[in-house]
Amino acid sequence: VFSPKDIIVETNTFWYDPAIGQYVLIDEFEYTKGYWILALQDATVTTEVTPETEFTINLSEGWNMIGMVGPAGSTIDFTDPNDNPNGSVIGTNTFWYDPAVGQYVLTSTLESGKGYWVLAIQDCTLTVGPATAASPSGVPNLLKPDWIMPLKLSDNQGSTQFLTMGMSDNTSSDIDFRFDLVSPPVSPASKFTAYILADHQRFNHLDKDIKPMSQIGTWDIVVDSPKEGVTLSWNQADLPK
């Protein structure tokens, strides 16, 4: 049920299929999954479902879109996901899309009414719930590198994306989820995409790449902008001295 009517473009409702790594058009919602919905203005989407306190969903290796349980305003702490095998889901790499700013937002808290990107390092099951009373949204507690350089990429239409590179004595040459962030799939609304191309064995498109201090730090940044140029900027004070 969409309110106001004719505001939701039903022909632009997508689910992400991790088996093929692509968005798929859908004509009905399935409990446990998250979706992309195109709205021409602010709107309310109401779905009729049987109330559940928790659910279990099968995840594929890589990125998966999931939904959330509970009444409006309820939350779940996702710092330590309830997965099987344990350690399959990387709680520090969980995102939701904020349409107000047109960007992904890193979070450690799931809220009812939202969809989320969750990262699995292998096929597994994930149990979500039970939900609790609303609490402030949290941000994953990633370790702080010895040196860090945030990068801002923007186009002349107001789209912005952030990447981060850095170095630490406490990380390895392979991906380290205590520091690194894997880039989630590009949103259907993105005007351009950018990522750090890493030489890891898997998950080599990164939003944040922290390298060990023992090696020379070199980062390859890939930008794909089919229509507009993209400006890369940084704070000169962050450059190593």
Side-chain angles (χ1 to χ4, degrees), residues 107-219:
T107 185
S108 61
T109 305
L110 306 188
E111 301 178 34
S112 58
K114 292 180 179 179
Y116 293 89
W117 284 116
V118 296
L119 180 64
I121 61 174
Q122 61 184 333
D123 293 351
C124 63
T125 61
L126 172 68
T127 299
V128 177
T132 60
S135 60
S137 296
V139 177
N141 187 23
L142 296 170
L143 295 183
K144 185 176 180 179
D146 295 289
W147 170 75
I148 194 169
M149 168 73 94
L151 304 173
K152 179 181 179 180
L153 299 98
S154 55
D155 63 15
N156 59 13
Q157 297 185 27
S159 297
T160 303
Q161 187 174 339
F162 295 91
L163 302 174
T164 303
M165 56 189 189
M167 305 189 80
S168 174
D169 279 328
N170 298 315
T171 191
S172 66
S173 58
D174 199 1
I175 191 166
D176 187 339
F177 292 113
R178 300 174 305 162
F179 293 94
D180 299 331
L181 291 175
V182 179
S183 301
V186 179
S187 80
S190 293
K191 301 296 189 300
F192 71 89
T193 181
Y195 56 86
I196 300 171
L197 182 61
D199 57 358
H200 304 315
Q201 293 181 356
R202 55 180 174 176
F203 307 133
N204 55 5
H205 291 187
L206 303 183
D207 277 2
K208 182 180 181 182
D209 185 20
I210 306 302
K211 297 182 180 296
M213 296 285 284
S214 58
Q215 70 179 46
I216 297 175
T218 302
W219 293 263

